[in-house]
Amino acid sequence: MTKSAGQENCVCLSGEPYAQCCGRFHSGAAEAATAEQLMRSRYSAFVRLDADYLLRTWHPDTAPAHLELDRGMGWRRLDILSTSGGGPFDSAGTVEFKAHYRYDGARGVLHEVSRFVREDGRWYYVDGDVRA
């Protein structure tokens, strides 16, 4: 028996079904309550090639005018390494993560410390520092 759309496990590796995890944020049915939830949902949006969601959750001061996602990028796994702030009552937070991928047959890892701000009850991605 196959799982119906939205019932497969979320690609952010939370262990929850997509519809109950990042899917509710992607659809607009809910807003991320923490910076980590937003980070996970943005990773899932990269996997699903959802540029609209990525732009909607990017702070207007730092967001690009347009976002072209590479269909050749195969995101494989997200590891959250640490968080600082970013809780439901915070106004800022950081999330350090490693996103594992395959591109043109080669494996790679994006290691970043991302900054988030909460304005008018919504979390936004601001920017990040890529680590070697």
Side-chain angles (χ1 to χ4, degrees), residues 15-92:
E16 298 292 325
Y18 170 74
Q20 295 168 8
C21 191
C22 295
R24 63 195 168 122
F25 305 133
H26 294 169
S27 71
E31 295 289 338
T34 67
E36 182 178 336
Q37 278 185 336
L38 184 61
M39 173 65 239
R40 287 180 177 282
S41 70
R42 286 178 56 82
Y43 169 81
S44 294
F46 274 105
V47 172
R48 299 173 79 85
L49 302 172
D50 188 347
D52 290 338
Y53 180 78
L54 292 166
L55 289 171
R56 193 167 70 242
T57 58
W58 208 318
H59 196 277
D61 290 348
T62 57
H66 178 72
L67 189 60
E68 191 71 38
L69 299 178
D70 189 341
R71 293 187 174 281
M73 180 66 81
W75 295 103
R76 301 293 191 217
R77 187 177 88 229
L78 176 66
D79 296 329
I80 302 294
L81 304 179
S82 68
T83 61
S84 176
F89 303 107
D90 293 321
S91 59

Side-chain angles (χ1 to χ4, degrees), residues 10 24 29 34 56 66 84-85 91 98 101-103 109 118:
C10 192
R24 63 195 168 122
T34 67
R56 193 167 70 242
H66 178 72
S84 176
S91 59
K98 287 186 176 181
Y101 63 87
R102 286 188 74 99
Y103 190 76
V109 177
R118 189 167 165 248

